[in-house]
Amino acid sequence: MRWAVSRDGLPKRMLALVAALFAALPLIAAAQGAALAAPGATGGGSTGGGTSSSWDYVALGDSLATGFGARKGYVPRYRDYVKTDTGVTVKLTNLGKNGWKSTDLLNALRSDTNFRGAVGGAEVVTWNIGGNDLRAARDLYKNGSYGSCGGTDNQDCLRASVETLKSNWQGITGEILGLRSSTNTIIRTMDIYNPYVDEDKGADSWANDGGLNDFQVFEKYVDDVNAHIAATPRDTNITHAQVYVAFNGASG
């Protein structure tokens, strides 16, 4: 099962929700004072000057970015919103890869010339990543009768996954900002939702944790990652869509 497709069969609603959340964000935060090239305006991220009536939009991420399991994913939906809001032609390059984890995306941004060239020439960049990192660790934890996650509480793999994801998130952000400035580029990301609430509330995979169900264990790691993602705009002027709250509700 891909992270983008919950066992409740929600991919279409989820991906429409993400696109709507992205569209609700200001195209350019007022604090940035950005000057992207609009139709008939001088400038443009990759053009180096001149008149630009089109923008390049590069999407990065996992199966959410590819739109796996949905008729139309959030990426083409967001492209359409940008076109409607600005009047420019938006050329989409979707570099999302099903099943990718944060390490895969970071490595691509560091060493893949196709990724680096595409991002470097884009006026719009979006990315999502991390769901598959957490899912893999959750799967190990839920095989709890064997202690496969590690540690006396069977949560070592969850802790390690979160630390790796947070480190990779910083690296991904740094690579994107090294290729495009947030002062003249629309750069958007999102936090991570939890599609396993009902399933995990009814499960207790590890008996030696004081009676916590799997949701109570897993949720704190999702919250930790999302708090890290939420801190990104304060440092980089990159706005994130709050997918978790919209999908899971304030209580998770």
Side-chain angles (χ1 to χ4, degrees):
M1 184 189 75
R2 300 293 183 187
W3 184 264
V5 184
S6 80
R7 289 180 179 145
D8 298 317
L10 294 170
K12 293 181 181 178
R13 188 171 69 182
M14 181 67 229
L15 296 173
L17 172 63
V18 173
L21 288 170
F22 267 170
L25 298 173
L27 277 180
I28 304 170
Q32 292 177 252
L36 286 167
T42 300
S46 61
T47 61
T51 300
S52 174
S53 60
S54 67
W55 291 350
D56 289 320
Y57 169 21
V58 174
L60 309 168
D62 53 27
S63 54
L64 276 176
T66 69
F68 180 85
R71 183 177 302 172
K72 188 174 184 179
Y74 81 81
V75 169
R77 291 173 188 266
Y78 186 58
R79 173 203 58 200
D80 294 346
Y81 282 130
V82 173
K83 181 178 180 181
T84 298
D85 286 352
T86 64
V88 302
T89 300
V90 182
K91 178 183 177 182
L92 171 61
T93 300
N94 193 334
L95 296 176
K97 304 291 182 182
N98 292 338
W100 262 25
K101 297 180 181 179
S102 59
T103 299
D104 298 309
L105 179 55
L106 178 57
N107 288 340
L109 287 168
R110 283 177 171 171
S111 60
D112 190 309
T113 55
N114 182 41
F115 275 72
R116 292 182 62 81
V119 172
E123 284 80 23
V124 183
V125 179
T126 64
W127 89 90
N128 74 275
I129 205 70
N132 290 314
D133 298 59
L134 294 179
R135 177 182 59 82
R138 172 185 172 273
D139 289 348
L140 284 175
Y141 172 80
K142 288 184 73 67
N143 195 18
S145 59
Y146 302 100
S148 52
C149 191
T152 58
D153 59 358
N154 191 40
Q155 295 179 33
D156 278 359
C157 69
L158 287 162
R159 283 186 281 267
S161 177
V162 167
E163 291 309 307
T164 297
L165 177 51
K166 290 195 291 186
S167 175
N168 286 345
W169 193 274
Q170 293 303 108
I172 290 165
T173 303
E175 291 297 327
I176 291 172
L177 290 176
L179 296 166
R180 292 298 305 177
S181 170
S182 60
T183 61
N184 66 355
T185 311
I186 301 167
I187 305 178
R188 299 288 179 261
T189 187
M190 67 185 73
D191 58 15
I192 296 173
Y193 74 106
N194 181 2
Y196 302 113
V197 175
D198 286 344
E199 178 182 347
D200 284 355
K201 278 188 174 181
D204 186 2
S205 298
W206 188 248
N208 302 319
D209 58 8
L212 299 177
N213 62 42
D214 290 0
F215 169 76
Q216 291 169 316
V217 171
F218 185 57
E219 183 68 9
K220 64 184 180 182
Y221 294 103
V222 177
D223 289 344
D224 190 1
V225 170
N226 284 340
H228 184 80
I229 293 172
T232 300
R234 294 196 293 267
D235 301 327
T236 63
N237 289 327
I238 296 174
T239 307
H240 80 285
Q242 298 181 48
V243 174
Y244 173 84
V245 171
F247 185 83
N248 292 103
S251 67

